[in-house]
């Protein structure tokens, strides 16, 4: 039975005095109320209903905990742990209005989706708004995501993408040619964006690149860029960098671009699910909100990649083109081959090392990362009418080989500011070795990603693995195949044991 | 990309001193660690990974929070809020072993289900075990539930039901004739179990009835029984009551019968979803674990009930019969008509009043509750070979009218012990009145349930509504249709406003 929970204006609100608490509840908003709270009976919320807090013209929702110690939280107080304290910006002793939260208006829509129904554009607009306002609990977000994974039409994906753009901010770049490049992920080490971006900017096109952190992989573009420069830019800071350099590589999390997507990702991450429809809605909503007009999209296909076969890749390509086209985006989808990881390093610090080597035209730089970046940059450059019809790739190669791209990257890094994190490698090192003579016949993308994540990447930027023998390499028994790096003994133990069981590297005679 | 997270034995564990905290996190296990914790770096868990605690030979999982105030939790301490403190039974200053928790072994299976795959019996066994051990997060449980709502075969439902029985305790009643009666719910006021149980026991059959609390309704059988007697019996206490009286009506939550189902219900409740497959697995696993051999199942069908049409009811009936049959249960499914609520009261206290009136043979007792109870009790009684072939109903009527069932209920109530909750009605009262002359043509089950829940039922047992004019009643403009009861001003406000907008009662000329 689905209950159509009502959302009336409700009774008058009560006021409570804020009390900062030295507690960190991670990303979740939590408040601590006295069992004798003067504003409501918190035990009646029974862990199911949230508390609504109004302060400074905004409304916040938080899960309540009950405190039985008056010296910690008194009856007329509301205890504020991080991150809510930070979000509210409230000082100790100020007053906020509180009330039991009404249920999200869109829960009926979420339940209809769970039951396999098709939702209207209005329903998706309301859901996107409730997501952006943090009105849905994690459980409800998970239910919505999984229901969409089960069944979602192309038009629903379009409606939801449009709604996700609408409920956030949107950057406008004054009609200049704004281009972007994105990869759907799934191939470790595939950090082409960090090579492509400075090539494009060196040519003079505008590329305000925003990236998320890793969702299911050992490093996202933002995680790797953070080894080189600050990435948590505000929208204003991003604009200043782009005005100065023609490009940036910023983390999208501090901007209000498709904020509903940020909430979805926070639930997709622990679930490690990433469906075609959510991928399209997530990527395109972020790109359109960031003001992109031309987008080159890399869809790697391979037996251990996110997309396993050409049929699935073509289906995804069509969905991207359908939604992107209706939303006014000029979109080129490139289906690329992904038989093994790209480059050598997997994990933020190691991937940043590879990117630096390619931009420095180091002769030892990984050739696959260099060539794939040139190819993708070439396609992006063809948004420039002067390079249309296949002249992009030569121009990209020229900008990389001349050092122009490398200098542009230095400029971008200087404009974004110094990295706040350590660029050191983990000091726990383990070499995984060939157990016999042979030729490396495959390197499993999924397995390598799993091992790098077990080692601690991307939370620990210096964790990951360094591939020493890629496909086609002849190795002797005992020769190292890759090196595992970690900082935490528990992570190291997990990763080494898992690599011993299945290294992800196969040898042929 | 799905990541096959590994589950190695892991590194050595560290020890921390327990520190009770006067915090109540409701049902969720939470621990508070110092940011300088000597055992692990809690910020590395980043709100995504749990902490594993070993104490007294058992393992518990808990979500961590970080404390920056050494006087609250020191670096060598682990802060224990309720309910974990209660579950651990730990005293201040004792030592427990802690480690970052490994991911649940069955997350890959959950993700496979999300992607629409059919799972094996082994996979369901592992999932049921992880559910019972609280190894899955709420997000993961929600993902599993919604994935199953999308697609689940009859054989998967069978495998999962069998697994849910296997991972819990199982009661055995020494080969006596053990019967039960259950309703799938969805019809407010349908408290027939509280009339049927004493009739069956008065005849001499064994009916050890266990019930859950309300999932999506304003009162479950356990909620209503709790107005009359204590229901949170342990398995031993339940056995003693059944040995003495031949029956009981106990809440299943304190027994370890299908504990995986308890975890599923805790997530179904806030989502308000209740799919056929989960209904079958939940109900049958609980009944089989409780030792029932004969089960009569009430499936109400109506335009505003859980099951809307006969086709859906027949499909559900077949699924119940398939799974129940393979698991050795003699099962009779009765499809009943549900055009409006049963009885007059909706909400624990008001429903208990109706049940008492029927058992006391009060001439003003609701006739529909009385007649439906007699019919269902008759079917249950036919498990007795002496009553087979249609003689059950007359015997049921005789046991009710003679007062034998009423006396049996008094006996059960005395054996279970006095109710710990107030049996008073909420003191905020609002009458919903007919806006014109007419005949009541329908009373919407779903709407009435929603209004009663908004008023506070079942958390507030005295909240709910009392129907004064059921279908076919001729009313004058201004005449009361029902009375709303609540205790909390905010609940009262929500319910009154919602009832003013849509009362759930329709009038015909």
């Amino acid at each position: 039975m689905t209950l159509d929970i009502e959302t009336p204006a409700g009774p008058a609100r009560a006021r409570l005095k804020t009390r900062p608490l030295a507690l960190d509840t991670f990303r979740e908003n939590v408040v601590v109320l006295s069992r004798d709270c003067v504003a409501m009976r918190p035990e009646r919320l029974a862990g199911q209903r949230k508390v609504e807090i109004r302060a400074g013209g905004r409304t916040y929702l938080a899960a309540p905990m009950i405190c039985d110690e008056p010296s910690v939280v008194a009856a007329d107080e509301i205890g504020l742990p991080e991150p809510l304290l930070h979000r509210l910006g409230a000082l100790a002793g100020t007053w906020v209005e509180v009330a039991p939260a009404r249920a999200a208006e869109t829960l009926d829509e979420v339940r209809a989706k769970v039951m396999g129904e098709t939702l209207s554009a209005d329903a998706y607009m309301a859901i996107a708004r409730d997501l952006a306002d943090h009105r849905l609990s994690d459980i409800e977000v998970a239910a919505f995501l999984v229901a969409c994974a089960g069944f979602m039409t192309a038009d629903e994906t379009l409606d939801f993408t449009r709604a996700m753009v609408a409920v956030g901010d949107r950057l406008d770049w004054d009609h200049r040619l704004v281009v972007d490049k994105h990869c759907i992920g799934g191939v470790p080490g595939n950090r082409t964006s960090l090579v492509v971006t400075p090539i494009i900017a060196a040519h003079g096109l505008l590329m305000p690149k925003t990236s998320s952190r890793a969702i299911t992989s050992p490093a996202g573009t933002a995680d790797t860029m953070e080894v080189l420069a600050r990435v948590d830019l505000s929208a204003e800071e991003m604009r200043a960098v782009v005005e100065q350099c023609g490009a940036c590589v910023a983390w999208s999390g501090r901007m209000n671009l498709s904020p509903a997507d940020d909430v979805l990702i926070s639930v997709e991450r622990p679930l490690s699910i990433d469906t075609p429809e959510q991928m399209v809605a997530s990527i395109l909503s972020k790109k359109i909100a960031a003001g992109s007009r031309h987008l080159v999209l890399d869809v790697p296909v391979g037996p251990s990649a996110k997309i396993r076969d050409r049929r699935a890749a073509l289906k995804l390509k069509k969905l991207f083109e359908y939604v992107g086209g209706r939303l006014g985006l000029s979109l080129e989808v490139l289906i690329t081959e992904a038989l093994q990881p790209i480059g050598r390093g997997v994990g933020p610090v190691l991937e940043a090392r590879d990117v630096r080597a390619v931009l420095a035209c180091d002769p030892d730089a990984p050739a696959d990362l260099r060539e794939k970046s040139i190819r993708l940059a070439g396609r992006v450059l063809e948004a420039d009418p002067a390079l249309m019809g296949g002249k992009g790739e030569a121009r990209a190669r020229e900008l990389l080989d001349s050092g122009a791209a490398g200098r542009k990257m230095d400029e971008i890094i200087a404009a974004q500011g110094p990295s706040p994190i350590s660029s050191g490698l983990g000091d726990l090192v383990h070499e995984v070795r060939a157990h016999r003579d042979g030729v490396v016949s495959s390197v499993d993308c999924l397995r390598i990603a799993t091992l790098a994540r077990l080692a601690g990447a991307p939370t620990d930027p210096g964790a990951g693995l360094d591939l020493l023998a890629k496909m086609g390499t002849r190795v002797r028994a005992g020769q190292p195949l890759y090196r595992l790096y970690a900082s935490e003994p528990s992570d190291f133990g997990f990763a080494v044991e898992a690599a011993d069981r299945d290294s992800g590297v196969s040898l042929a005679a």
Side-chain angles (χ1 to χ4, degrees), chain A:
Chain A
M1 180 165 66
T2 60
L3 290 173
D4 55 324
I5 302 293
E6 292 296 325
T7 58
R13 317 175 137 261
R15 295 172 80 215
L16 293 174
K17 217 179 335 180
T18 58
R19 172 98 177 239
L21 296 180
L23 276 179
D24 185 348
T25 59
F26 301 99
R27 69 176 190 82
E28 200 187 5
N29 283 347
V30 173
V31 291
V32 182
L33 298 172
S34 164
R35 199 177 293 276
D36 303 319
C37 180
V38 297
M40 66 188 83
R41 283 163 54 195
E43 77 274 16
R44 282 286 312 282
L45 304 173
Q48 291 180 35
R49 279 170 73 187
K50 290 192 171 182
V51 175
E52 195 172 290
I53 301 136
R54 283 202 200 160
R58 286 208 56 185
T59 301
Y60 303 83
L61 293 176
M65 296 197 309
I66 297 180
C67 179
D68 288 299
E69 177 50 57
S71 69
V72 176
V73 176
D76 64 344
E77 290 181 325
I78 180 167
L80 299 178
E82 287 289 352
L84 186 60
L85 184 64
H86 185 83
R87 286 177 188 149
L88 270 167
L91 298 168
T94 59
W95 293 82
V96 291
E97 289 189 341
V98 298
R102 51 191 170 77
E105 304 189 13
T106 52
L107 266 184
D108 283 342
E109 307 287 359
V110 170
R111 281 189 287 260
K113 193 72 217 159
V114 169
M115 293 307 158
E117 291 178 31
T118 302
L119 302 186
S120 68
D122 286 350
Y124 280 110
M125 192 62 79
I127 288 171
R129 201 170 299 281
D130 275 351
L131 284 168
D133 289 349
H134 294 266
R135 285 206 169 267
L136 295 169
S137 71
D138 282 356
I139 288 180
E140 290 154 4
V141 174
F144 174 68
L145 276 170
V146 173
C148 290
F151 168 68
M152 194 171 191
T153 68
D155 279 322
E156 285 184 279
T157 309
L158 171 61
D159 289 337
F160 190 42
T161 308
R162 187 184 277 126
M164 292 216 291
V165 173
V167 300
D169 293 341
R170 204 162 162 172
L171 302 178
D172 182 22
W173 302 97
D174 294 332
H175 302 290
R176 285 176 63 186
L177 200 54
V178 182
V179 298
D180 209 340
K181 175 259 147 197
H182 197 88
C183 176
I184 64 157
V187 181
N190 192 21
R191 284 287 79 76
T192 55
S193 287
L194 295 185
V195 180
V196 171
T197 306
I199 293 177
I200 304 307
H203 179 73
L205 297 187
L206 216 60
M207 185 155 164
K209 177 137 187 73
T210 62
S211 300
S212 69
R213 296 187 185 277
I215 300 177
T216 56
S217 73
T221 294
D223 298 309
T224 300
M225 183 66 178
E226 196 170 34
V227 176
L228 306 172
R230 207 187 127 217
V231 295
D232 59 337
L233 309 183
S234 66
E236 295 68 38
E237 289 171 327
M238 175 186 172
R239 187 173 287 279
V241 172
V242 173
E243 294 295 344
Q244 184 194 329
C245 310
C248 68
V249 184
W251 174 51
S252 55
R254 265 198 67 194
M255 298 167 219
N256 193 36
L257 306 175
S258 193
D261 183 48
D262 295 336
V263 173
L264 291 177
I265 286 177
S266 71
V267 171
E268 283 167 346
R269 190 171 282 125
L271 282 177
S272 273
I273 59 168
D274 203 352
T275 64
E277 293 80 9
Q278 289 300 334
M279 222 187 276
V280 168
S282 168
I283 292 172
L284 295 187
S285 68
K286 275 281 198 297
K287 296 297 156 195
I288 291 165
S292 299
R293 303 290 174 87
H294 294 264
L295 175 64
V296 172
L297 207 82
D298 176 14
V299 175
V301 180
S304 60
K306 229 179 237 193
I307 305 294
R308 302 293 168 103
D309 57 51
R310 218 176 149 74
R311 210 179 117 262
L314 286 172
K315 205 175 149 198
L316 180 62
K317 179 177 191 282
K318 278 191 184 160
L319 189 59
F320 266 116
E321 287 168 349
Y322 178 76
V323 175
R326 307 258 154 161
L327 296 177
L329 195 65
S330 153
L331 182 84
E332 185 179 12
V333 177
L334 281 180
I335 297 177
T336 59
E337 195 176 51
L339 300 175
Q340 62 176 345
I342 304 277
R344 292 190 199 110
V346 176
V349 167
L350 288 161
E351 294 179 24
R353 177 204 64 191
D354 285 356
V355 165
R356 255 199 267 246
V358 170
L359 285 169
C361 302
D362 184 330
D364 289 336
D368 54 353
L369 179 60
R370 174 184 152 89
E371 289 308 315
K372 186 168 178 185
S373 300
I374 289 171
R375 191 173 148 218
L376 288 167
R379 294 299 185 103
V380 177
L381 286 176
E382 292 183 24
D384 178 354
L387 296 175
M388 260 167 39
K391 284 176 266 175
E393 196 165 318
R395 175 67 176 146
R397 195 175 298 276
E398 177 190 321
L399 288 165
L400 184 58
D401 287 343
S402 70
R407 287 189 297 276
K408 178 56 79 175
M409 188 63 161
D410 292 341
E411 207 184 302
I412 294 169
I413 288 170
Q416 291 191 192
S419 163
I421 62 170
S422 154
S423 62
L425 272 174
D427 50 13
L428 301 170
V429 187
H430 173 75
E431 282 193 342
V432 172
R433 294 162 187 280
H435 54 281
R436 62 172 177 87
D437 294 358
V439 175
V440 175
S441 58
S442 81
V443 183
D444 187 293
C445 288
L446 188 51
R447 185 69 189 166
I448 295 298
T450 301
L451 295 175
R453 281 175 70 101
L454 282 173
T459 323
D460 178 358
L465 51 82
D466 204 9
L467 297 167
L468 304 172
K470 294 186 67 180
M471 277 168 68
T473 309
R474 177 163 295 281
V475 294
R476 296 259 176 85
Q479 187 177 329
L481 298 171
Y482 55 82
R483 245 176 243 126
L484 265 172
Y485 292 90
S487 311
E488 281 285 300
S490 63
D491 295 338
F492 187 63
F494 287 153
V496 168
E497 193 178 320
D500 284 349
R501 214 156 9 149
D502 176 2
S503 70
V505 178
S506 305
L507 299 179

